[in-house]
């Protein structure tokens, strides 16, 4: 028999259960939570942005602990102020990186002020050695994206005050990039002087990402200006790089642009290679070329075959496929977001949860974690405010609408505020074991980290709009005029309505080439066979096995196959 004392507790339990399972109450809870988290993300952005504008502008990046600046885009960032060339004041890198974020946060007034300042003050005729890849994704991408946003149908800028100044600046910068591609292979130098071109005795070493991740920005520049040289240069380099893949369809990490020979044969999905995979798929979405899809599909299958180990992705030798380094790097956390665009949601969710587990373990995501030893890398214990986990969290919520990802976003923001927020902005973490800080607020904290956290809780910017985000978080529109073939609708939910002669059915937006494969072979398709991107073959052609590790991923469901008691791979129902 229940006592009187137990009655209040029973009533409280009833109220809690009613709140949890009452649809309207649950909806109200999540709506309220999204609004609170959105405002917290907004405050994070402006704390970083306002301090940059106060203490570092017009230089490149903020040093939040000392409230000073660094010109980190070029090698000038390593010099003291008194050693800088006369009149050099930086490129206002963080301001450029913040332009699309200002629009997404709805601050058109600040956006207009920034655009007008850049129009009047920014120029690239400076004696500065810059990294081509970084300048491409940060400066060129930022200018192009902001130009598109300034001229879109919402009329964010008054026509009389904006005369395509950002596009003029972008075209000037693109022209300064072109001498880097004048090599026997067409692969660009990693470093170039904006005023003098490629310098004598310049290093010929570059990364796979450095010469294979230029197509979005330079392709968009060609579309906007009508000048095909930019896209041609980036595409020629990409095709050359693809021709250098191994017989296993794997690429190394570093190479020589003059000889076209590989320097580092170990490869993975992290630093040095990551955005190469990302740009193959996104270039297919943005420009519609089947060539990009064929490259990506082949590369994706090779990654799944040779790098994947459960939810993790180790590194392997491009020539043999044998594992080289069993390690997690923070840059790998972009991969689940890319898998969302492919349609491989179960695999994306699995990897994302493992990355989040490591985040929770240390409070932030360390730069390198040794999977085989379950320990931090002894010298790379830092966290420079990277955005990749927030990015994948945003994509996974868009694909699943699972509110659990709000909890992940909230946890990320709590950690950032608790461990990295200082009076002068947000500081990088030098050592995740002690949370000792480093005096650097990278520009990508505003262009990506804060942006993806905000979009997680407020995606109104994306309503009725089709954008692809560059690897630096700059939105580029998916336009029919840029496409060889464009689905009727493209959205982050990865679904589109494809109309046939007699019916309309739901299929993937990725040109009908992702899971599940069964949806691609229905009556009326003419028997067309297109392999899904998530398909992994069983180890043996006869499908015999001794363990689950010898089984692949089913092409019709994108689910992992397992080894039965009789020794055959399949999707067995275990009771």
């Amino acid at each position: 028999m229940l006592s009187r004392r137990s009655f209040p507790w029973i009533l409280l339990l009833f109220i809690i259960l009613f709140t949890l399972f009452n649809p309207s109450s649950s909806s109200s809870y999540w709506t309220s939570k999204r609004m609170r988290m959105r405002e917290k993300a907004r405050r994070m952005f402006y704390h970083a942005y306002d301090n940059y504008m106060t203490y570092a502008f017009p230089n490149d990046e903020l040093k939040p602990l000392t409230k000073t600046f660094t010109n980190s885009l070029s090698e000038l960032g390593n010099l003291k102020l008194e050693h800088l060339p006369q009149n050099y004041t930086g490129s206002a890198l963080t301001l450029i990186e913040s332009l699309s974020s200002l629009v997404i946060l709805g601050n058109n007034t600040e956006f207009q002020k920034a655009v007008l300042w850049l129009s009047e003050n920014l120029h690239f005729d400076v004696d500065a050695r810059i990294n081509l890849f970084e300048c491409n994704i940060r400066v060129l991408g930022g200018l192009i994206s902001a130009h598109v946003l300034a001229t879109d149908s919402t009329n964010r800028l008054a026509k009389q005050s904006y005369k395509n100044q950002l596009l003029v600046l972008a075209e000037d910068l693109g022209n300064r990039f072109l001498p880097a591609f004048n090599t026997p292979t067409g692969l660009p130098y990693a470093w170039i002087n904006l005023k003098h071109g490629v310098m004598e005795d310049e290093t010929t070493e570059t990364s796979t990402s450095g010469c294979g991740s230029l197509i979005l920005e330079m392709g968009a520049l060609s579309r906007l200006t009508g000048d095909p040289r930019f896209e041609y240069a980036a595409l020629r380099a990409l095709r050359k790089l693809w021709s250098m893949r191994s017989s296993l369809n794997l690429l190394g990490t570093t190479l020589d642009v003059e000889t076209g020979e590989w320097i580092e044969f170990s490869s993975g999905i992290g630093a040095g290679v990551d955005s190469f995979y990302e740009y193959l798929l996104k270039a297919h979405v943005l420009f519609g070329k089947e060539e990009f899809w064929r490259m990506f599909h082949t590369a994706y299958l090779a990654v799944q075959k040779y790098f994947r180990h459960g939810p993790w992705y180790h590194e392997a030798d491009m020539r043999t496929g044998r594992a080289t380094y069993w390690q997690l790097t923070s840059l790998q956390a972009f991969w689940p977001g890319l898998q969302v665009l492919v349609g491989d949601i179960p695999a994306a969710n699995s990897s994302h949860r493992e990355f989040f587990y490591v985040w929770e373990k240390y409070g932030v995501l360390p730069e390198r974690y040794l999977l085989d030893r379950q320990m931090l890398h002894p010298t790379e214990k830092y966290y420079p405010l990277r955005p990749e986990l927030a990015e994948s969290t945003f994509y996974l919520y868009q694909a699943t609408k699972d509110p659990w990802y709000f909890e992940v976003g909230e946890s990320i923001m709590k950690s950032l505020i608790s461990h990295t927020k200082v009076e002068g902005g947000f500081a990088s973490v030098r050592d995740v074991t002690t949370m000792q800080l480093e005096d650097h607020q990278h520009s990508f904290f505003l262009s990506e980290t804060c942006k993806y956290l905000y979009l997680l809780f407020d995606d109104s910017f994306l309503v009725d709009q089709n954008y692809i985000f560059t690897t630096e978080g700059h939105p580029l529109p998916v336009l029919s005029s840029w496409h060889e073939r464009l689905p009727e609708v493209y959205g982050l939910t990865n679904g589109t309505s494809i109309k046939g002669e007699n019916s309309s059915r739901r299929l993937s937006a990725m040109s009908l080439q992702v899971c599940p494969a069964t949806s691609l072979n229905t009556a009326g398709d003419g028997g067309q066979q297109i392999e899904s991107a998530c398909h992994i073959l069983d180890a043996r052609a006869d499908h015999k096995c001794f363990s689950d590790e010898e089984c692949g991923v089913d092409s019709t469901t994108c689910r992992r196959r397992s080894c039965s008691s009789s020794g055959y791979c399949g999707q067995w129902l275990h009771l």
Side-chain angles (χ1 to χ4, degrees), residues 104 190 195 210 251 271 285 339 344-345 389 394 397 403-404 449 469 478-479:
I104 289 172
K195 193 178 188 71
L251 294 92
V285 176
Q339 289 184 304
D344 203 349
I345 307 301
L389 184 60
F394 157 69
Y397 174 74
W404 180 76
T449 310
F469 288 92
V478 180
L479 302 175

Side-chain angles (χ1 to χ4, degrees), residues 272-486:
V273 190
D274 50 355
S275 55
F276 165 74
Y277 296 105
E278 179 184 2
Y279 271 36
L280 287 180
L281 178 59
K282 290 184 176 180
H284 171 61
V285 176
L286 194 63
F287 304 125
K289 286 182 179 290
E290 286 300 304
E291 177 184 11
F292 295 135
W293 171 258
R294 289 192 297 270
M295 289 182 188
F296 173 77
H297 183 240
T298 302
Y300 185 79
L301 293 177
V303 166
Q304 299 291 49
K305 183 175 182 180
Y306 296 106
F307 298 160
R308 185 175 178 178
H309 183 78
W312 297 111
Y313 291 83
H314 59 74
E315 296 176 29
D317 190 301
M318 64 173 285
R319 300 162 295 184
T320 65
R322 293 175 182 171
T324 52
Y325 302 107
W326 290 81
Q327 59 188 3
L328 170 155
T329 61
S330 61
L331 288 171
Q332 293 176 349
F334 90 99
W335 190 255
L338 183 63
Q339 289 184 304
V340 168
L341 292 179
V342 181
D344 203 349
I345 307 301
N349 178 66
S350 175
S351 293
H352 175 270
R353 286 177 180 268
E354 295 296 335
F355 281 111
F356 184 53
Y357 166 77
V358 177
W359 177 285
E360 287 189 305
K361 181 177 181 178
Y362 292 102
V364 292
L365 197 61
E367 188 71 2
R368 199 174 297 271
Y369 181 80
L370 304 178
L371 296 172
D372 52 346
R373 300 183 185 181
Q374 293 292 297
M375 60 175 286
L376 287 171
H377 189 281
T379 61
E380 297 187 43
K381 303 178 181 180
Y382 54 91
Y383 169 68
L385 306 175
R386 291 204 188 277
E388 284 75 16
L389 184 60
E391 176 185 4
S392 287
T393 303
F394 157 69
Y395 277 110
L396 274 162
Y397 174 74
Q398 288 291 320
T400 66
K401 302 302 180 184
D402 184 345
W404 180 76
Y405 294 107
F406 292 157
E407 304 291 347
V408 175
E410 182 178 22
S411 177
I412 291 173
M413 283 197 289
K414 283 182 177 179
S415 292
L416 289 171
I417 292 170
S418 175
H419 299 305
T420 71
K421 185 179 180 181
V422 296
E423 183 181 356
F426 286 84
S428 300
V429 177
R430 184 186 300 274
D431 187 332
V432 302
T433 62
T434 63
M435 288 300 172
Q436 177 188 3
L437 297 179
E438 185 174 272
D439 198 12
H440 199 168
Q441 177 182 287
H442 291 271
S443 63
F444 55 68
F445 183 70
L446 290 108
S447 69
E448 297 184 82
T449 310
C450 292
K451 177 184 292 170
Y452 285 124
L453 288 170
Y454 183 86
L455 284 170
L456 174 63
F457 298 105
D458 185 349
D459 57 5
S460 56
F461 171 76
L462 300 172
V463 174
D464 298 325
Q465 300 289 336
N466 297 322
Y467 290 107
I468 278 293
F469 288 92
T470 70
T471 196
E472 195 69 10
H474 298 303
L476 295 175
V478 180
L479 302 175
S480 59
S481 59
W482 291 7
H483 261 250
E484 291 182 353
R485 186 176 74 186
L486 181 69

Side-chain angles (χ1 to χ4, degrees), residues 13 87 99 164 182 301 475 514:
L13 178 62
N87 299 325
L99 292 174
N164 298 333
N182 292 331
L301 293 177
V514 296

